[in-house]
Amino acid sequence: MKKIAVIINPQAGSNNKKFLQKLIRKLSDSNQVTLFETMGPGDATEISKRECNNFNIIAVAGGDGTIHEVINGINNSTPLAIIPIGTANIVAIEAGITQDVTSICNAINQGVTRKAYIHQINKKKFILMAGIGYDAKVVENINPKLKKIFGKFIFVWESFKQFFHLQQFNITVKANHNSYDANWVLITNATHYAGNHKITNQTSIFEPDLVCFLFPNLTKLDFIYNLFLILFFGNLSRSDKIISFKSSSIEVLSTTEAPVQCDGEVFDKVPTFIQSNNEYVQLIVHS
């Protein structure tokens, strides 16, 4: 019998109550399960930091934002399990975790783990990506109440609105002893983006590499072309309109106030310093 702490974000997703109740009942059949409900931003970090040494497994019932908080509190010896109830659930997609009660419980009971690499952004940890410019502005403008009601649709609507302001940011990226200018910057440790859409085959959360995509002179036509590459090829690197490279140390500056999103949540403004130093968490995956 394992001691499992389940950190629940009650604001994540919608219509998840019955799903969670069924999952927790099934998980409790063969384990000692303790529930911790978050009350606001930062709670998941504090709970995971306080409880990770008291339990065999920390499970997160939430989306990528809640997972982002947990990885900033958990150590690398306590396994982390994902119960996907968020809007995008990219970490779950990367780990092959589906929203199925039986398969989630089987994965947790079997306890097979892989190293999921995490990186630092302004001395905080992240597991998926950081975006500066276009997508960060989309995230910044999302109303949390409307997000809970409309889910992914609200992101589609806001993305369309920002489509008419693609060149509003002037961003400079310094990496690998070079300097680049762009309107939008996406630095990713994940294969997927905005849900189950593949954007690269150069990395995943189970690899230590950070891939940086720069979008210079971003026009509407270029944006549509890049979207086409994502939808039909799953690989932004095919675009000759984009600069891409790998780096373990990336500095981002801007002549204008540019927002930053991290793991799909509002993070900060530039300047931003992103670094990879081979930190990881033990993520429970399907065997």
Side-chain angles (χ1 to χ4, degrees), residues 103-117:
S103 62
I104 292 172
C105 290
N106 286 342
I108 292 174
N109 288 330
Q110 291 168 13
V112 176
T113 65
R114 292 183 66 186
K115 289 181 180 179
Y117 287 89

Side-chain angles (χ1 to χ4, degrees), residues 194-264:
N196 61 353
H197 304 294
K198 285 189 66 176
I199 61 169
T200 182
N201 55 16
Q202 297 181 69
T203 191
S204 78
I205 63 171
F206 301 112
E207 298 176 23
D209 299 316
L210 283 173
V211 177
C212 183
F213 292 107
L214 306 177
F215 301 80
N217 302 314
L218 186 58
T219 67
K220 295 180 179 66
L221 186 61
D222 290 343
F223 186 93
I224 293 170
Y225 173 59
N226 295 332
L227 184 61
F228 170 81
L229 291 178
I230 292 173
L231 295 177
F232 291 94
F233 295 99
N235 189 359
L236 278 175
S237 299
R238 294 172 64 107
S239 175
D240 58 0
K241 307 292 185 181
I242 294 174
I243 300 169
S244 65
F245 56 83
K246 291 183 179 181
S247 181
S248 60
S249 180
I250 303 167
E251 184 179 10
V252 184
L253 308 168
S254 179
T255 57
T256 57
E257 186 178 86
V260 180
Q261 67 87 5
C262 188
D263 290 346

Side-chain angles (χ1 to χ4, degrees), residues 61-73:
D64 294 323
T66 311
I67 295 169
H68 172 88
E69 287 197 8
V70 169
I71 66 167
N72 276 277

Side-chain angles (χ1 to χ4, degrees), residues 35-36 107 118 128 137-138 141 169 171 199-200 216 231 238 264 281:
L35 307 182
F36 298 88
I118 54 179
L128 292 172
K137 191 64 177 177
V138 170
N141 285 357
F169 302 110
I171 303 164
I199 61 169
T200 182
L231 295 177
R238 294 172 64 107
V281 293

